[in-house]
Amino acid sequence: MMLIQFPQISLPDGRMIIGKKSGILLSRYSLLFAAIFILSGLEIAHAQDWVRTGTNLGAQKIRLAAANFKQTSNDPQSGSLKGAFDTTLFNDLQNAGIFDMVSKSMAPPLMPGSPQEINLPDWAAAPSNADMVVFGSLGVADGKVSVYGYLFDAKNQQTPQILGKQYSDNASVDNARAIAHRFADEIITRLGGVAGICETKIYFVSFRSGNKEIWVMDYDGENEHQITHLGSISLSPRVAPDNSRVAFSSLGKNGWSIRMYSLLLNRAVNFNSPGGTTISPAWSSDGSKLAFSSSHDGDSEIFTSDASGGGLHRVTAFRGPDVSPVWNPKTNAQIAWVSGRTGLPQIYIMDSDGANVQRMTDGGYATSPSWSPNGQFLAFAWNRKYGPGAPGGQDIYIMDVASKRWTQLTHDSGHNDFPSWSPDSRHIVFQREDGGATQIWTMLADGSEQHALTHGSANTMPNWSWK
């Protein structure tokens, strides 16, 4: 049995058995890769047929009630801002994956706005049976929204207060949502032991403007907006650890190169991309280096450089394509990537200087590695039954790096690709092509709670911000 543990969270037993998959059309990206690798011969997969996993086996989730906040002003904006705040706060806490949320239909009838107004025995008793209660008030005055938020232990009558926070900002729905995100992150950090992700962003590629451009949205799919306006094809966005820049692959008059966009200056900034086809940038976690794939020297190899493109260093040197590098963000001492040196694309890891190469996958068609922030896991797309006579589906898998034991997270649900970890290592965002439409989806890192974040046009290649 492979025991997958996430820091101080309670997730259900994710035991599963991998079954046969139906054939699924490959994306254009995968078809390009297939064209490269099929000439090198088909490799037969000899991976394990099934694996059981467990996530924090036996732990109990905290039963948490989030009351609707009390409105404390008659300003015309108060109702809409309170509605946005209440909805966002409840969804954030539910999305965290560490709470058993009390349905609002089970809440006591009176909504407390302050510590003096809450009756904890009402919340601790049936039907709520809450361990913890979140409550507070929201008011609007002089163009400002003010929020007082509290977290109380419903089972501790003597010293129940765990958190008390006050927030104020200009009165708008976006700011009410932002305050809810900040308060939710405070609660998740206090009760979950790891910083919350409610204020993080997801960068992705969207075709909704008529060209493939780089877009960004909040972690929950709200507040989408376009970043680049190049009118060409831009792919593989990767945001810097300090959220100051986005690196991406772009098709220009001289072919594919890496470009850099400053989120602080709202314009492109210089990056010295080497010649040849240069794609798939990846930041080191200290923001000092990038890894990428380039045919600068002929064959497609892995290179590293500093953040401006200087100090170019070739890491791999082997016949066959080497692409899609990603650093171990825990140490920056290793790189995972995709190589076709033995035929079909497989996931490999190596030291950042190219030494100690290890093959991680044992067959099929494996692409798009993403290293978890805690350094323990690789997520990747894998068609284990790839090839004539062995039709399979492309799904998202995670692998424990030390033991190479893996588990399958998506099943019988379209063509899944490009996984990216959240900063807390508890969530994964990915793209899913199903019924001809490709959208961005998210799930907990045990494969549960899958839901779409985007719903229109074509949206691909998500990248979760670092914080």
Side-chain angles (χ1 to χ4, degrees):
M1 173 178 288
M2 171 185 173
L3 182 64
I4 298 175
Q5 292 184 323
F6 295 86
Q8 299 185 45
I9 62 172
S10 174
L11 296 175
D13 184 344
R15 290 180 296 175
M16 60 188 67
I17 295 176
I18 297 173
K20 294 180 66 176
K21 301 292 170 227
S22 58
I24 296 176
L25 291 175
L26 295 173
S27 67
R28 280 182 291 180
Y29 181 85
S30 297
L31 285 172
L32 174 62
F33 229 129
I36 296 173
F37 285 95
I38 199 70
L39 298 177
S40 300
L42 176 65
E43 182 168 332
I44 305 300
H46 294 290
Q48 60 219 87
D49 292 320
W50 60 272
V51 61
R52 292 179 176 179
T53 68
T55 55
N56 280 15
L57 298 175
Q60 295 294 317
K61 290 185 176 180
I62 298 171
R63 187 161 172 80
L64 179 65
N68 285 331
F69 273 40
K70 185 175 182 178
Q71 183 175 320
T72 58
S73 70
N74 295 320
D75 187 281
Q77 288 185 280
S78 297
S80 59
L81 268 57
K82 195 185 91 65
F85 177 88
D86 287 338
T87 299
T88 302
L89 180 62
F90 188 90
N91 290 341
D92 283 350
L93 297 172
Q94 184 165 260
N95 291 340
I98 59 174
F99 302 124
D100 174 18
M101 296 299 295
V102 175
S103 169
K104 291 199 173 183
S105 65
M106 296 181 179
L110 295 178
M111 295 296 104
S114 68
Q116 293 75 30
E117 296 175 356
I118 191 167
N119 188 337
L120 288 176
D122 285 351
W123 291 88
S128 293
N129 297 314
D131 299 318
M132 304 281 175
V133 184
V134 179
F135 63 98
S137 63
L138 181 149
V140 178
D142 300 325
K144 297 283 187 179
V145 56
S146 297
V147 174
Y148 294 85
Y150 304 93
L151 171 66
F152 271 31
D153 184 343
K155 306 293 179 61
N156 184 348
Q157 299 287 328
Q158 300 302 315
T159 54
Q161 182 167 328
I162 298 172
L163 271 179
K165 291 289 181 178
Q166 178 183 358
Y167 306 92
S168 181
D169 207 336
N170 294 329
S172 70
V173 169
D174 285 345
N175 286 339
R177 279 178 36 81
I179 291 172
H181 284 326
R182 290 201 293 272
F183 188 39
D185 273 346
E186 292 277 3
I187 295 167
I188 293 165
T189 301
R190 184 63 62 92
L191 298 182
V194 176
I197 59 168
C198 302
E199 296 178 84
T200 59
K201 305 286 185 181
I202 293 172
Y203 293 81
F204 61 103
V205 176
S206 181
F207 191 68
R208 66 191 72 186
S209 67
N211 295 293
K212 290 190 174 182
E213 303 281 3
I214 308 302
W215 285 60
V216 65
M217 60 184 169
D218 294 349
Y219 95 102
D220 58 0
E222 299 290 333
N223 195 26
E224 297 172 313
H225 61 274
Q226 187 172 345
I227 293 180
T228 64
H229 299 79
L230 298 177
S232 178
I233 300 175
S234 297
L235 302 174
S236 306
R238 296 291 182 270
V239 65
D242 62 0
N243 295 319
S244 66
R245 288 163 291 175
V246 177
F248 56 97
S249 309
S250 180
L251 181 60
K253 61 181 180 180
N254 296 321
W256 286 98
S257 63
I258 291 176
R259 300 190 67 174
M260 195 77 71
Y261 189 90
S262 169
L263 298 172
L264 304 177
L265 302 174
N266 291 320
R267 62 173 176 81
V269 293
N270 183 58
F271 180 81
N272 186 25
S273 187
T277 297
T278 302
I279 57 174
S280 58
W283 291 90
S284 60
S285 61
D286 61 5
S288 66
K289 293 183 179 179
L290 267 79
F292 46 83
S293 171
S294 178
S295 61
H296 172 67
D297 292 337
D299 201 9
S300 179
E301 303 289 353
I302 304 300
F303 287 78
T304 61
S305 75
D306 60 34
S308 64
L312 190 66
H313 175 68
R314 179 171 169 170
V315 182
T316 60
F318 199 90
R319 185 176 181 181
D322 293 296
V323 297
S324 303
V326 59
W327 301 80
N328 179 341
K330 186 73 173 180
T331 64
N332 290 322
Q334 294 173 296
I335 292 174
W337 85 105
V338 177
S339 179
R341 59 190 62 192
T342 60
L344 290 173
Q346 301 295 315
I347 307 296
Y348 290 76
I349 64 172
M350 62 183 169
D351 294 346
S352 59
D353 61 1
N356 296 321
V357 172
Q358 299 181 54
R359 178 172 166 174
M360 305 302 287
T361 50
D362 56 4
Y365 192 104
T367 56
S368 308
S370 176
W371 212 313
S372 66
N374 61 16
Q376 186 175 358
F377 300 104
L378 289 172
F380 53 97
W382 201 7
N383 186 339
R384 293 187 55 240
K385 306 295 184 182
Y386 183 84
Q394 181 145 321
D395 284 295
I396 303 300
Y397 290 74
I398 60 172
M399 175 180 286
D400 178 78
V401 174
S403 67
K404 297 185 181 179
R405 300 298 299 272
W406 47 260
T407 190
Q408 184 176 353
L409 301 185
T410 61
H411 300 260
D412 302 315
S413 52
H415 185 80
N416 303 280
D417 205 347
F418 299 107
S420 177
W421 290 86
S422 64
D424 63 358
S425 297
R426 292 171 176 164
H427 304 74
I428 295 173
V429 66
F430 60 103
Q431 83 172 42
R432 169 172 292 167
E433 180 184 356
D434 193 10
T438 305
Q439 300 298 339
I440 307 298
W441 285 62
T442 187
M443 61 184 169
L444 292 177
D446 65 353
S448 65
E449 305 294 335
Q450 296 182 16
H451 63 272
L453 296 178
T454 60
H455 302 279
S457 188
N459 304 287
T460 60
M461 295 185 167
N463 173 238
W464 213 311
S465 71
W466 296 70
K467 56 185 178 182

